Amino acid sequence: MPASIHFDPTSLAKYGRLALVARQLVEGFLTGVHKSPYKGFSVEFAEHRQYYPGDEIRHIDWRAFGKTDRYFIKEYEEETNLKAHLLVDASGSMAYKGKTASKFEYAQYIAASLAYLMLHQRDAVGLALHDTKVRAMLPPKANSKHLLQILRILQEAKPGGETSMAPLWHRMADQITRRGLVIVLSDCFDDLPGLVRAIKHFRHRRHEMMLFHILAPEEIEFPFKRWTQFRNLEVAGHKLLVDPQQLRKEYRKNFDAFCKELRAQVGQAQVDYYQLRTDDPVDKALGIYLTRRHHQR
Amino acid sequence: MSFFNAAILIGLVAVAIPPIIHLLNRRRYDVIDWGAMQFLQISEITRRRLLIEELLLMLLRMGLIAILVFAVAAPYTDRWIPDINGRPSRDIVLVVDGSASMSFGAPGESAQKKAIDWAERFMQELHAGDTVAVIVARRDPILLVPKLTPDLEGVRKKLHGDLPPLTGGCDWPAAVKAAQRILADGQGGKRDIILLGDSQKFGLVDQTTMKGWKTTAERVQDGPPPSLWVVNVDAGRPEKAPNWSVKELVPTRNLVAVNEKVVFRSALQLNGMDEYKRPHKMKVRVNDEDVLTLDEQHEGRVDGGQVPVEFSYKFAKPGSYLVSLIVEPDPPEKERKAGYKLKDLLPADNRTDFVIEVVEAVPIVLVDGSDPDAKKRPSDFLRDNLSPAKDDTPAFLVHVVSSREFDSRHLKAGLKDVRGRILEAPRVLILANVPSLNSDQKRIVEQFVKDGGGLLVALGDKCEPESWNKLATTTGLLPAQLVHVAGEDKLEGAARPVLGGFVHPALEMFRNLKIGGLDTAWFGRWWRLTPVKSDDTVIISRLTRDEVPFLIEKKYGEGRVIVCATPLDNSWRTNLTDLVSYVPLLQELTYYLGVMRRGEMNVALDRQLLYRIPADASNEGYQLQGPLDPKPKPLTPGAIDVPEVYSARIVQYPHYNVLVHEGLNEPGVWKLITPDKQTVHYVVQGDLREFDLTPMGKEDKEKLREIVPVSFEDKPELLYEKLPEKNDFQEFWWILLLGVVVLLCGEVWFTRKIVRGRA
């Protein structure tokens, strides 16, 4: 087994539900991928240990068996130099909550899980929480205390304020000098050209980018039937009374066009775009992340 | 365009339902905090398109509701809808005159027979699908065939079998209203009401009937009014049709004692003939048994078309007697010689009836106010004249009591006759020269009169004005106040009754009494009376001196009171007691006052039947037989008038109950059968104008046309050809219903289109 960062459950418990969810998610996920193609990557041999029934036979060091006539399992040590930045959108629009968790809660889980996973794999991970302003920013580090800091910040954050990410991302692209992986968790409800330019700015700085486009199913399907007053989550007092049935077609046309355009634009910038619905399991994001890492190797 | 069910149009308010639902939806909305606001912004073109779609859909739905309401309101028009059915089915109500005048005509050729024959021929002309109902027009219409039916054979049978006897008059407007109600349920495109009668003026255009036509015309109806035809089935009736009729029978009195002669008067009304020939037979029946034949009377006497008839009769037993005068102008058909010309073509008016009450003797209590020890008392004089001692069977049974001893026992107990039999309680109370009444006496006298007793107050020198005047002003029992005694008690300057005033039923007989008449009486003194102002008070006779009241009458409760300004004896100087008319005056006044106890038995149409029942007797077990009833029906208190039962109610009084049956609505003889199987007759007098056969003239027809749209047809055989073949109107609800279906499909299609467009 590869060596991993040890998280004290008691200290994790201080960070409440989010920490527990992240741990559960990651450990469950890693157990689930026991037979997955991701095994053995990014790690180097560390030491032997005695074989116990249940260990995979392929990890048995047959050389050692030839010498000692006893079964030993090879254990590996991780080796990484990845610096990842989690950019979490905490704008008002992320507070939308339909029948599932809110988009921000969903982003919290993903961010926490990814941070946990990365640190588990001894990658350095940083966090930037923002709406129009940066609310909190942690530089990438690879120790367990750092995870606790990340979780605390995520835990305490509440979505609010307008979304105007482009200027902010430009600034951040300038600030993050060392090349790394930038993971964006956002609904991207912003001016699309500006947003794309900011993403390209990151790419210009030779950052790898993953864009998790987080959306609620209701935003995609627009299933409302009765007359509804939509109150803007970002601009106080802005509301619209409409018959959703009348508007559905027009809305979905606008929405699909936006998503399609976003996907195309960021694709052109060689940014990995993933659309996540809040009713998708959170570990889907983990899978995406690990697959991408595997392909990078 | 009009509507059969115009009231349904109120449903047009339902047109507001779609906008209301729209507004309600706008008021009742969900609230969602939303992030993706930028995608809700739609273009102006889209917004306009959505608005137009919404508006169109709403208009479509509103139109759908509006057309549905119009369709249900059953619109019709007489203009632009083509007649798609060819000849319309026809709904016809035949209204057959059921009045007495329809019996006019030789045997087998009555107007009613002609009407039935015409109806049969008419029905033969009808087409399949035509429906007919039949009403017999009487005072209350009889629905002979109450619903429109295509079974014309059934209608024919009804016309031949179930027509009621021809009596009384008929209420045409009421019959037309009933016909309109029947037609309201009809489905035919053409609706007709055909009145089959003899076009008699009375019943069609008399004053009362014209009011009825006005209410018929004012009646709000659904749909176009049906065509109204008045068909004269007896158009060939001569203008001066020979007809005999018997006028009302009037007895000299309504109440009579057994073996007392009572005179009945009537007259024969002769129409359509110049010469009076004696009738074949004229007879008197008592309780449906022939008792007198009046063959020898009145030969050749014609006075203004009327021949007076007079007969007298004595009744041997007490009870209620139905006295009928029947004239048969023509011999029976078998006895007629060849070529015999009928004198009378309307037999329905050849009979008249009267009910008279016969009592063993009229019980009287005579209260004498004079000194009980006096040798000669006024009461002796009155008693001797009303009930002579030598008479074993006097017409009046007089019980004398002094005013001091007079109390309630005297009015409640039955009186004993000379043979020791106890007869009924007093009917008449005579207060002769009574100074005053104490409070108890006042109370019992009031109650006695209220219950139907008769009170005769003969004033005298002992009367105390203050006491009597209180009775006039407080209780209203006395119809006059006593002012003072007038006259000098001598012949010179004495007062006499005014002859011209003898029109009162009790005084009528004195009008023609030449010798010893009441007008020859003189009175030396009299009480000057001031009548109490009241609708019930009437001066029935005056004295020549200043025309002061002599006799004043008042109706009080169920009874009557008469005050006489003089004593009815010779205690004051008068020649009255010596006159021939003295005893008749006493008798007539007493009979007149005594008749009220029983209640009226000769009544006008639609009045009540009243029958007094002793308080201790049962109210159950009575039966009533109307003129048209083949047998008696139970008369049940509290019941509703149904074919099998007559309804009645009981009005309770302190000493008796009164059985009341409302609505003696059929002229003729009604028989009340008491629980002990006694028959009490009631005669309902019909309207004699029914026997006036004068037909409607042109002016009458115009007058009627001004009120109701009506067509007159004196040639009934031509009527069928005149009935229009085309529909009066065409319903087009079905077109609207088609429109509803089309709009409904449109609505579904449009809604689906919009929904699909939104998906």
Side-chain angles (χ1 to χ4, degrees), chain B residues 257-258 260 360-362 386-388 391-398 417-418:
Chain B
V258 291
E260 191 77 4
E360 198 79 55
V362 182
L386 283 169
S387 179
D391 191 349
D392 288 344
T393 54
F396 301 91
L397 195 60
V398 183
D417 69 358
V418 289

Side-chain angles (χ1 to χ4, degrees), chain A residues 80-87 111 114-119 121-128 137-142 146 150 172 176 178-184 202 207-210 212 289 292-293 296:
Chain A
T80 182
N81 59 356
L82 178 68
K83 287 188 184 298
H85 300 271
L86 294 169
L87 267 58
L114 284 175
Y116 190 98
L117 179 67
M118 287 177 196
L119 289 172
Q121 294 178 333
R122 300 198 174 227
D123 288 334
V125 61
L127 174 71
M137 189 157 177
L138 290 173
K141 287 183 183 172
H146 189 61
I150 289 172
M172 289 174 81
I176 303 171
R178 191 175 167 188
R179 183 176 158 235
L181 173 64
V182 177
I183 301 174
V184 179
F202 273 112
H207 291 294
E208 295 295 320
M209 277 199 84
M210 293 176 78
F212 287 107
Y289 169 73
R292 187 179 183 283
R293 287 278 282 150
Q296 276 183 332

Side-chain angles (χ1 to χ4, degrees), chain A residues 246-251 253-254, chain B residues 40-54:
Chain A
Q246 271 190 343
L247 276 185
R248 182 174 298 119
K249 190 177 180 189
E250 189 76 3
Y251 170 91
K253 193 176 112 188
N254 292 344
Chain B
L40 294 175
Q41 306 298 331
I42 56 172
S43 68
E44 192 55 35
I45 294 170
T46 308
R47 190 179 298 284
R48 202 170 292 162
R49 180 177 57 76
L50 290 174
L51 186 69
I52 290 169
E53 276 180 2
E54 188 78 16

Side-chain angles (χ1 to χ4, degrees), chain A residues 227 229 231 233 245-246 249, chain B residues 30 32 34 54 757-758:
Chain A
W227 277 77
Q229 187 185 66
R231 297 194 300 200
L233 281 163
Q245 298 191 77
Q246 271 190 343
K249 190 177 180 189
Chain B
D30 295 337
I32 292 177
W34 189 247
E54 188 78 16
R758 288 171 182 172

Side-chain angles (χ1 to χ4, degrees), chain B residues 18-279:
Chain B
I20 287 171
I21 289 174
H22 177 78
L23 292 174
L24 282 177
N25 278 339
R26 289 197 63 133
R27 285 173 67 93
R28 294 161 58 188
Y29 52 79
D30 295 337
V31 175
I32 292 177
D33 292 324
W34 189 247
M37 292 296 282
Q38 66 202 83
F39 308 109
L40 294 175
Q41 306 298 331
I42 56 172
S43 68
E44 192 55 35
I45 294 170
T46 308
R47 190 179 298 284
R48 202 170 292 162
R49 180 177 57 76
L50 290 174
L51 186 69
I52 290 169
E53 276 180 2
E54 188 78 16
L55 207 62
L56 276 175
L57 191 62
M58 196 181 291
L59 287 173
L60 197 63
R61 287 169 179 168
M62 289 167 75
L64 184 68
I65 293 170
I67 293 177
L68 186 65
V69 171
F70 278 122
V72 174
Y76 63 87
T77 181
D78 56 355
R79 292 198 175 174
W80 51 273
I81 307 276
D83 184 356
I84 56 170
N85 298 321
R87 180 195 180 280
S89 60
R90 194 180 284 282
D91 293 335
I92 297 162
V93 180
L94 297 174
V95 186
V96 183
D97 189 345
S99 68
S101 68
M102 287 295 280
S103 64
F104 181 89
E109 296 171 15
S110 68
Q112 188 191 48
K113 173 84 170 39
K114 289 174 186 172
I116 293 169
D117 291 346
W118 183 88
E120 275 202 59
R121 287 196 301 278
F122 179 79
M123 285 191 290
Q124 282 169 5
E125 302 284 341
L126 295 179
H127 292 198
D130 292 345
T131 59
V132 174
V134 181
I135 294 174
V136 179
R138 296 176 64 85
R139 293 198 73 258
D140 289 325
I142 296 173
L143 306 182
L144 194 68
V145 181
K147 287 185 178 172
L148 292 163
T149 173
D151 175 18
L152 303 184
E153 186 54 37
V155 175
R156 208 167 286 136
K157 281 180 186 166
K158 282 267 182 189
L159 277 171
H160 279 286
D162 294 344
L163 284 175
L166 296 166
T167 55
C170 71
D171 186 346
W172 284 111
V176 169
K177 277 183 195 170
Q180 286 170 337
R181 282 193 290 273
I182 290 174
L183 286 174
D185 296 331
Q187 303 293 324
K190 183 76 188 74
R191 305 186 298 172
D192 301 285
I193 298 173
I194 301 175
L195 311 186
L196 299 174
D198 52 5
S199 280
Q200 188 189 7
K201 186 173 179 175
F202 174 74
L204 268 172
V205 287
D206 60 275
Q207 208 173 355
T208 314
T209 309
M210 289 303 261
K211 284 179 189 167
W213 285 123
K214 278 178 187 163
T215 58
T216 308
E218 286 162 7
R219 189 166 161 257
V220 179
Q221 292 178 40
D222 291 333
S227 304
L228 182 61
W229 302 83
V230 175
V231 176
N232 184 1
V233 293
D234 201 14
R237 184 183 291 182
E239 200 166 318
K240 280 191 166 184
N243 180 34
W244 291 50
S245 59
V246 186
K247 300 297 237 184
E248 274 181 71
L249 195 59
V250 182
T252 47
R253 59 183 72 109
N254 294 2
L255 175 70
V256 66
V258 291
N259 297 320
E260 191 77 4
K261 191 170 86 175
V262 60
V263 176
F264 292 88
R265 296 193 185 95
S266 179
L268 301 177
Q269 176 73 46
L270 307 175
N271 294 318
M273 61 191 73
D274 303 323
E275 190 185 352
Y276 167 58
K277 291 179 182 175
R278 283 167 50 192

Side-chain angles (χ1 to χ4, degrees), chain B residues 436-454:
Chain B
S436 64
L437 296 174
N438 64 33
S439 57
D440 280 347
Q441 289 171 336
K442 282 178 188 172
R443 187 176 48 76
I444 59 170
V445 170
E446 273 176 42
Q447 193 60 51
F448 172 75
V449 182
K450 272 184 184 172
D451 290 351

